[in-house]
Amino acid sequence: MFGIVIAGAAILFVSGSAVTETLQDNNEVESAEVVMSNVDSKLGSLSMADSSTTGGQLNLGSMSPDDAIINRTGEIRVSVNDATACSATVPLTALEYHHRSGTTVVYESGAVWRADENGGVSQLSEPGVQYRDQTLQLSLVNLSGTVDDSTIEVEKNSSRSAAMASSVRSQLFDGACGDPDAFRNLTLSVTSTYHEAWQRHLEAEFGASHVGRAGSETVEVEIPRSMLPPEYDNRRNTVVNFDDRLRTGEIVSEGTLGLAAAGVGSSDDDAFAIDKGEGNTYESSLTLLGAANANATSQEIEQNSPGDPIVGWNNSTVTLGDGSTVELTHEQPVYEQQQRWNNWTEEVPTNETLEIVFVMDESGSMDDGSKMENAQEAAHEFVEVVETTTNSTEPRYSVVGYTSTSGCSYWYDEFHQGRNRNVCEANGPADVTQHQPLNTDEEGAHDAIDGLEAQGNTPISQSIEEASDVLQTEGNSSNEQFIVLLTDGQHNVDDDTNADVRWPDEAATQEVPGGVTLHSVGFGNPDDMILEATADATTDGEYYPVSDSGDLSETFEEIAENVSTRTVHHNESYNETVLVGVEETTETVSVSESSEFDVNLSTTRSLTEAEAENHSVGDPVWVNGTESLVIDENETVSMEFTVQRFSNASNSTYTTTVSRSVEFSYQANVTGDVNDTVVLEDRHLDTDTAYQRYLLHPQATLTAERGGDTATLWDGRNLNNLTADSVTLDAFESEAFSLADGEETSFEPTFRECIANETTGDTVTIGGTDYQQTYCTAAGSTMLSDSETEVHIYANNTQILANSSLTWQESLEEMLDTPDGQYYRETPTGELYADLPCDNQAIVVVEATDNESQTDANNMVFLADVGRCSEDVEMSYLVGVDVSVVSTTENSTQVLAGPPVSSVDASAVLSADASAPATAPVHAPARERAA
């Protein structure tokens, strides 16, 4: 009996101990859940704080730091229309607490999960992926670093956070990705260790019918446009696109475009037609760009009066008087000998020892075409030029290659040198390799150049640091030291997660020793601004841009000659004969008595009314009178004279004969009688019928017809009128109208004769005849039938076939050239095409026939804005993105996780895993514990 009691007591002791341990485990796990909820709250507050609040603390409470770890657990991928080019991926990271019982409590990007030892995962709080107001909202925290204490100091990197969020929006909606006409759906993929809980959350947010599996740990949500706001659904919104008659709008024509080109009238006018099948109404407007409808008319006027005056003439001769003299001046040049200097330079081989480090680009783009082969050939020729040019001791060479093959955690934009530049946050350090140590081994340098291989990204700054170290550790600063940097691209690698990216010009300033020259060579797609700044940061450095890799050899030869030669200056003197002035000599000569010139006397009178009635063209009439004239004119007299001068330059005497033409004044009074017969011409008589000519503008109005309803636009005002200042009335004024789904909308012009006009005071020349410009003050009956008018509508990028107006009218091109821009473009052959800011716009041209004396097209031109422009729909509002990049500030800031999860292509995964089960057990990652 005593033994039975002892055994029972032992059993009670053991079971009691187990119950106690289970209760303790449950309490510790529940405490960890409270801690993770507090972590969620703290990180949520930090992510929403403004840029002035970047730090905080996470308190693990009773959780041991040895049982906590920060891991990368997956990724979130969003794509537009399932297109790879329109996709963005954000990594998922988690703070995991591993309890000895096998239970894991996790904070993962806003969510708190609990995973048991059997793989089951339950949700304690929601993650930052939600479907709100018919849009996808992403509020994610990207956590990195280590857990070294029960109190963790964390800091938010505001610039990286903003860059990552901006990058996601840009990849999803920039360019063609943000076209509402092409939009079909959004796809959300979540790859995570805790995928089971993610699936339940996404089904609750979006509905189970939209959620499926795309891999063993990937959950995918297809969000059709029917679940999104109407303005992003091309069927439900009022976006219109007439370009090339695409899906959202059509211009209906009955063949009248061809008739317009041939100048033939037609009653079949163009019309707008839109039918999305949704009963939409498209609010639209019509803007008057100009009107050039005018008719020239003439009215007979009887006139019987004298014409132009009649002029009679008498010709006389005047002889120059005796004793006139003229002074002539002669100029003699004076020369002297002066000393001159001739400065010149020449390039001679240097006598200094050269140390040259080649820094060669081994990035993946160097594998395109023959880039690498051309670069290697150029470097070989550089060595040959230096070897054959220098007179010094043997040159020393080193070859450094640079690339980066560790991959990128993500890409972000960094502002430098006046603009943003794209940078890869590398997963590991850059691959910068010294292929040849600094020595005189010429063949070794050639072998190292031949061994270069193309792969990876472009870490230029790291290569400059390596080249500088080579010169300082292996070189001699008393020698002439050079770095020759070659790249076909742009610096894009940041391998230091503890600091911002260092750019090549900054690396050159900080690393290259004084007296060392860095020459940079860029080709392919280089960053010219940074490469030039990099060279300028060193002693006498220069940047050499090369347009084609085939020209690299020529550029390297030029650099090699500059490196291996020195400039010698020369200065020589010589004598030169120089003109220093002139000497003047004045001579007085007499004017010949025989010089004379003609003088014409004239008198003018008008015909009397009686003479005008009794004479006709061809009749002679007399013009009599006595006239006097004061002569004050210049005559030209040519004289020759001889002067003798002594020249200092030639030290000789010579005789020069110089001819001079001289103008002088002669004045006299001449009186004579005019008795002349004049034969009458047309201009002397105004006996023909005269005309008063006017340019009349008929009244024009426009109506819009839709589904049998007619609306008069601009309240029936005259759209073709001028004001008293000759300005077209209502130009650039807009009028509203509307279109409806399933109905055609057309425009009907009405022209009425102008029965009362006022002149503006301006004239227009037509065929050499002036017409007075008028404006209409009263209109009469309709003057043109439907068959005499045409209405043509031209969508963007379509040819405008309307005839041009005459040169004195406002041309079609002038009306389309508005203060808001030019709405056409002209081909080299003179064809006009509509060139509009948006594809919901069209040009409406009203053509009217002319009177019998004219053959041009009297155009009125309008700009139609129908519905909404696709560019007005901002697609980026479909996805709200807020990514907070947060890291611990103690010791390391690296994520303690394996290799990053690769990006998921949703269509490929669905095809490959179609037979996989809908769910799979989750085994929380275990962490080794000390025994």
Side-chain angles (χ1 to χ4, degrees), residues 320-324 591 593:
L320 298 180
D322 188 18
S324 299
V591 178
E593 295 182 6

Side-chain angles (χ1 to χ4, degrees), residues 358 360 375-377 379-380 383 399 444-452:
F358 294 102
M360 305 294 287
Q376 291 169 325
E377 180 180 352
H380 288 314
V383 174
V399 178
H446 285 301
D447 291 342
I449 292 169
D450 286 335
L452 298 174

Side-chain angles (χ1 to χ4, degrees), residues 208-484:
S209 62
H210 298 289
V211 180
R213 283 285 178 165
S216 59
E217 293 190 350
T218 300
V219 184
E220 184 177 87
V221 182
E222 175 106 8
I223 309 172
R225 59 187 177 191
S226 60
M227 292 180 59
L228 301 171
E231 65 178 307
Y232 304 113
D233 185 347
N234 192 41
R235 300 297 302 178
R236 293 181 290 159
N237 64 20
T238 58
V239 171
V240 176
N241 189 330
F242 289 121
D243 188 14
D244 199 25
R245 303 185 180 182
L246 293 180
R247 296 175 294 278
T248 59
E250 183 178 9
I251 295 174
V252 180
S253 173
E254 296 296 337
T256 55
L257 296 180
L259 293 175
V264 180
S266 171
S267 60
D268 295 327
D269 295 329
D270 294 349
F272 291 118
I274 305 173
D275 190 6
K276 295 187 179 183
E278 295 291 333
N280 293 338
T281 298
Y282 304 87
E283 300 301 329
S284 309
S285 66
L286 203 64
T287 301
L288 174 62
L289 301 183
N293 195 312
N295 295 310
T297 185
S298 300
Q299 297 178 2
E300 293 185 1
I301 298 177
E302 294 296 333
Q303 184 175 345
N304 186 16
S305 62
D308 293 344
I310 307 168
V311 181
W313 295 92
N314 180 16
N315 298 328
S316 301
T317 301
V318 177
T319 303
L320 298 180
D322 188 18
S324 299
T325 61
V326 177
E327 288 188 348
L328 304 179
T329 301
H330 172 69
E331 295 182 348
Q332 174 69 29
V334 179
Y335 299 89
E336 70 178 18
Q337 295 287 325
Q338 294 184 359
Q339 188 179 30
R340 294 284 188 266
W341 293 91
N342 182 20
N343 300 323
W344 56 284
T345 62
E346 65 174 333
E347 301 296 324
V348 300
T350 183
N351 293 321
E352 302 294 333
T353 298
L354 303 180
E355 294 182 347
I356 302 164
V357 179
F358 294 102
V359 181
M360 305 294 287
D361 192 342
E362 290 187 275
S363 66
S365 59
M366 289 291 290
D367 199 31
D368 295 342
S370 56
K371 285 184 179 180
M372 181 60 81
E373 292 79 359
N374 291 337
Q376 291 169 325
E377 180 180 352
H380 288 314
E381 293 183 8
F382 186 105
V383 174
E384 296 299 328
V385 170
V386 171
E387 290 292 331
T388 57
T389 304
T390 56
N391 288 333
S392 64
T393 58
E394 289 187 90
R396 309 180 71 204
Y397 308 100
S398 176
V399 178
V400 173
Y402 62 93
T403 182
S404 176
T405 60
S406 64
C408 304
S409 294
Y410 56 87
W411 290 82
Y412 66 92
D413 287 338
E414 184 82 12
F415 188 84
H416 185 65
Q417 288 284 8
R419 67 178 179 85
N420 281 326
R421 290 168 164 83
N422 205 227
V423 181
C424 158
E425 180 74 27
N427 291 324
D431 304 310
V432 182
T433 306
Q434 184 183 17
H435 297 292
Q436 164 73 8
L438 186 64
N439 56 39
T440 59
D441 184 2
E442 177 187 351
E443 289 303 319
H446 285 301
D447 291 342
I449 292 169
D450 286 335
L452 298 174
E453 296 181 357
Q455 57 182 332
N457 289 320
T458 313
I460 298 178
S461 299
Q462 294 87 332
S463 68
I464 293 174
E465 180 179 355
E466 174 65 19
S468 301
D469 290 344
V470 168
L471 289 175
Q472 293 181 80
T473 59
E474 302 177 16
N476 187 336
S477 61
S478 63
N479 295 331
E480 291 195 6
Q481 296 180 325
F482 298 89
I483 297 173
V484 180

Side-chain angles (χ1 to χ4, degrees), residues 179 181 239-251 272-274 793-799 825 833-843 864 866 868-871:
D179 183 6
D181 282 343
V239 171
V240 176
N241 189 330
F242 289 121
D243 188 14
D244 199 25
R245 303 185 180 182
L246 293 180
R247 296 175 294 278
T248 59
E250 183 178 9
I251 295 174
F272 291 118
I274 305 173
I793 305 176
Y794 302 98
N796 199 19
N797 298 314
T798 59
Q799 184 179 357
R825 67 178 186 276
Y833 283 81
D835 189 6
L836 301 171
C838 190
D839 291 333
N840 74 316
Q841 296 176 316
I843 295 171
V866 181
R868 297 184 64 188
C869 177
S870 61
E871 295 177 3

Side-chain angles (χ1 to χ4, degrees), residues 133 231 245 437 593 611 623 680 682 708 733 814 877 891 913 916:
D133 298 325
E231 65 178 307
R245 303 185 180 182
E593 295 182 6
E611 287 177 322
V623 180
L680 294 180
D682 287 336
E733 184 169 329
E814 289 173 325
Y877 294 135
N891 300 327
D913 296 337

Side-chain angles (χ1 to χ4, degrees), residues 2-281:
F2 179 78
I4 294 173
V5 171
I6 294 299
I11 292 172
L12 289 173
F13 175 79
V14 171
S15 62
S17 298
V19 170
T20 301
E21 183 176 353
T22 299
L23 291 174
Q24 181 179 354
D25 289 346
N26 289 339
N27 290 335
E28 290 175 354
V29 170
E30 289 175 357
S31 176
E33 292 174 355
V34 173
V35 169
M36 287 301 185
S37 296
N38 291 334
V39 168
D40 179 21
S41 176
K42 289 286 187 181
L43 292 179
S45 299
L46 183 60
S47 66
M48 291 186 293
D50 57 26
S51 59
S52 62
T53 305
T54 61
Q57 289 184 341
L58 303 180
N59 192 337
L60 299 185
S62 60
M63 287 170 43
S64 171
D66 292 337
D67 297 325
I69 187 171
I70 297 174
N71 258 324
R72 175 158 181 184
T73 54
E75 64 181 20
I76 291 180
R77 182 174 186 264
V78 182
S79 64
V80 174
N81 295 338
D82 295 329
T84 302
C86 304
S87 301
T89 301
V90 178
L92 279 177
T93 59
L95 173 61
E96 298 173 324
Y97 169 69
H98 300 281
H99 190 262
R100 62 177 175 271
S101 64
T103 300
T104 300
V105 183
V106 183
Y107 166 83
E108 184 184 49
S109 205
V112 177
W113 316 120
R114 173 174 175 165
D116 58 34
E117 65 266 21
N118 298 319
V121 181
S122 58
Q123 174 182 306
L124 303 181
S125 64
E126 290 185 345
V129 177
Q130 297 176 328
Y131 177 59
R132 295 291 183 269
D133 298 325
Q134 294 183 299
T135 60
L136 175 61
Q137 300 295 325
L138 302 178
S139 180
L140 308 175
V141 176
N142 189 291
L143 182 64
S144 64
T146 58
V147 180
D148 298 317
D149 200 316
S150 60
T151 299
I152 307 173
E153 299 287 340
V154 293
E155 182 175 5
K156 175 183 175 181
N157 189 323
S158 298
S159 62
R160 292 285 176 86
S161 300
M164 184 175 289
S166 175
S167 176
V168 171
R169 288 189 291 268
S170 175
Q171 292 177 62
L172 291 178
F173 298 112
D174 277 2
C177 299
D179 183 6
D181 282 343
F183 178 77
R184 299 188 308 275
N185 67 286
L186 285 175
T187 302
L188 169 68
S189 299
V190 179
T191 300
S192 173
T193 305
Y194 308 100
H195 52 88
E196 179 182 341
W198 274 103
Q199 180 166 351
R200 287 195 297 271
H201 169 72
L202 295 177
E203 287 176 346
E205 287 291 316
F206 298 95
S209 62
H210 298 289
V211 180
R213 283 285 178 165
S216 59
E217 293 190 350
T218 300
V219 184
E220 184 177 87
V221 182
E222 175 106 8
I223 309 172
R225 59 187 177 191
S226 60
M227 292 180 59
L228 301 171
E231 65 178 307
Y232 304 113
D233 185 347
N234 192 41
R235 300 297 302 178
R236 293 181 290 159
N237 64 20
T238 58
V239 171
V240 176
N241 189 330
F242 289 121
D243 188 14
D244 199 25
R245 303 185 180 182
L246 293 180
R247 296 175 294 278
T248 59
E250 183 178 9
I251 295 174
V252 180
S253 173
E254 296 296 337
T256 55
L257 296 180
L259 293 175
V264 180
S266 171
S267 60
D268 295 327
D269 295 329
D270 294 349
F272 291 118
I274 305 173
D275 190 6
K276 295 187 179 183
E278 295 291 333
N280 293 338
T281 298

Side-chain angles (χ1 to χ4, degrees), residues 765-824:
T765 302
I766 305 175
T769 302
D770 290 339
Y771 286 75
Q772 294 189 51
Q773 185 68 271
T774 68
Y775 62 98
C776 186
T777 58
S781 60
T782 301
M783 58 182 293
L784 297 175
S785 65
D786 288 348
S787 63
E788 293 175 304
T789 63
E790 296 178 4
V791 179
H792 300 300
I793 305 176
Y794 302 98
N796 199 19
N797 298 314
T798 59
Q799 184 179 357
I800 303 175
L801 300 175
N803 291 316
S804 295
S805 302
L806 292 176
T807 56
W808 51 268
Q809 290 181 325
E810 187 176 23
S811 68
L812 190 65
E813 292 89 334
E814 289 173 325
M815 287 186 277
L816 292 174
D817 192 359
T818 75
D820 293 333
Q822 180 174 294
Y823 293 152
Y824 75 95

